[in-house]
Amino acid sequence: MQIFTTEKDLKLFLDSLRNNNIALVPTMGGLHEGHLSLVDKAKSLAQIVVVSIFVNPTQFARGEDFDDYPNTFDSDKLLLESKKVDALFLPSKDEIYPHGTESDYKVGDIGQILCGAFRPTHFNGVAQVVRRFFEIVNPNYAVFGEKDFQQLLIIKSLVKNLNFKIKIESIPTQREEDGLAMSTRNQYLSDLDREKAPHFYSVLSDTRDALLDGKSIYDAREDALNTLSKSFEVEYLEVLDANNLTQIETKTTEIIIISAIRFGGTRLIDNLVFRRKNV
Ligand code: PAF
């Protein structure tokens, strides 16, 4: 695996390989099995796989965990080598933002709901850095996790709006044995909170089962909010159309239960997508 820290060197390397398909997996490090599944997907799509590790300051607001974000570089590198990744891109902030961090791309309304209502600048920062990676790497494919479902839709619309010729691929949320969605931020949980955390996913699963059994969306959402708030501080829980995160209509068949909670100082997100029968 070759390591690049500059746009120039990475481009030079990739330009000699453009007769192959190239897949990009952007990350912020703190790699776990979920990231490795993204790499596996990338390898199934393309001959050349590039992984980036960059903790992007513009997607963190003041008071969030930018300074504390887990840095596990030595183990990240070993994991990526074991997966035979071709190139690891490790840029500095100046390399990504040589002209400062102003951005002219705004993600629009979809960036203001759900997580965006609690982190108003977050998705503009994500779009800004992903756009930059797309310009530098110019991959045929880019692979993202479905745990960050809202992010995934925002990146798909970025590709469309800016006419990138990049196929966005995703993989389902990878879970621990007890159901907790894999996340770098799970490291922040105390042992006791880690024991309680899988309850988040079990409430989402119970809500899906209740909806499939015919409970109304209103009642299912109310019950889920009541149950979740007994154990966690709930930021939001919504039941929406999974295609565009809008309200469910009679014609909607793909449904998402999507939620963010806080507990013990840690913010966790999760979602569950399913198809509605009998429509
Ligand atoms: O999902 C993430 O880890 C980040 O938001 C991303 C896509 C790497 C952009 O910094």
Side-chain angles (χ1 to χ4, degrees):
M1 180 174 76
Q2 300 214 40
I3 300 184
F4 300 92
T5 55
T6 65
E7 168 173 7
K8 188 166 151 275
D9 289 346
L10 179 64
K11 276 182 165 165
L12 213 62
F13 172 73
L14 291 175
D15 284 347
S16 65
L17 295 164
R18 293 267 170 214
N19 51 336
N20 299 281
N21 277 330
I22 297 173
L24 169 68
V25 180
T27 82
M28 299 204 299
L31 302 186
H32 50 69
E33 281 295 325
H35 294 108
L36 299 185
S37 309
L38 299 175
V39 173
D40 287 340
K41 177 76 182 180
K43 287 197 83 87
S44 76
L45 294 164
Q47 295 86 344
I48 304 294
V49 172
V50 181
V51 175
S52 61
I53 296 183
F54 177 65
V55 185
N56 171 37
T58 69
Q59 68 189 76
F60 291 80
R62 194 169 296 159
E64 293 187 345
D65 56 347
F66 174 69
D67 290 329
D68 303 324
Y69 200 80
N71 178 337
T72 54
F73 178 69
D74 291 341
S75 96
D76 292 354
K77 183 167 166 274
L78 286 176
L79 288 169
L80 297 175
E81 277 168 350
S82 77
K83 288 283 171 190
K84 302 204 174 350
V85 162
D86 300 279
L88 169 58
F89 186 38
L90 270 181
S92 65
K93 181 180 170 202
D94 286 346
E95 195 66 25
I96 294 297
Y97 300 121
H99 309 296
T101 54
E102 281 300 302
S103 165
D104 58 358
Y105 183 80
K106 299 282 173 261
V107 296
D109 291 348
I110 193 174
Q112 307 311 315
I113 58 170
L114 306 173
C115 284
F118 293 85
R119 307 181 72 193
T121 55
H122 173 65
F123 289 117
N124 281 329
V126 170
Q128 180 184 26
V129 78
V130 169
R131 175 188 189 174
R132 201 51 198 114
F133 281 128
F134 286 177
E135 284 164 357
I136 294 171
V137 178
N138 190 16
N140 305 87
Y141 299 93
V143 190
F144 297 87
E146 289 167 17
K147 182 171 80 69
D148 296 293
F149 200 88
Q150 191 174 4
Q151 166 174 286
L152 179 63
L153 292 193
I154 285 169
I155 290 166
K156 283 182 178 167
S157 80
L158 170 109
V159 164
K160 213 163 148 201
N161 294 341
L162 299 179
N163 288 317
F164 281 111
K165 304 275 170 292
I166 300 171
K167 291 196 189 72
I168 301 301
E169 296 281 341
S170 64
I171 59 149
T173 304
Q174 304 296 298
R175 299 188 179 278
E176 305 290 352
E177 269 179 21
D178 56 15
L180 178 66
M182 289 184 184
S183 164
T184 303
R185 289 188 168 100
N186 291 349
Q187 296 178 34
Y188 298 151
L189 296 168
S190 67
D191 289 349
L192 194 67
D193 286 343
R194 175 64 191 80
E195 270 176 39
K196 281 168 62 181
H199 185 50
F200 185 23
Y201 178 61
S202 67
V203 175
L204 300 191
S205 307
D206 291 348
T207 307
R208 175 207 44 210
D209 295 347
L211 285 163
L212 288 173
D213 280 349
K215 193 181 259 188
S216 73
I217 288 167
Y218 180 87
D219 287 346
R221 178 175 173 271
E222 285 295 300
D223 289 353
L225 281 168
N226 283 334
T227 314
L228 270 186
S229 51
K230 288 190 184 119
S231 307
F232 311 114
E233 186 190 325
V234 184
E235 277 191 355
Y236 66 83
L237 180 137
E238 299 294 343
V239 182
L240 298 170
D241 184 328
N243 290 299
N244 45 23
L245 300 179
T246 58
Q247 293 303 319
I248 288 169
E249 297 175 25
T250 31
K251 64 177 190 318
T252 308
T253 51
E254 294 228 309
I255 295 182
I256 186 167
I257 307 167
I258 186 164
S259 180
I261 58 163
R262 285 181 177 278
F263 73 127
T266 305
R267 182 174 188 274
L268 299 179
I269 61 172
D270 202 351
N271 69 74
L272 219 163
V273 178
F274 62 100
R275 284 188 83 79
R276 172 158 75 171
K277 51 186 182 185
N278 304 331
V279 177

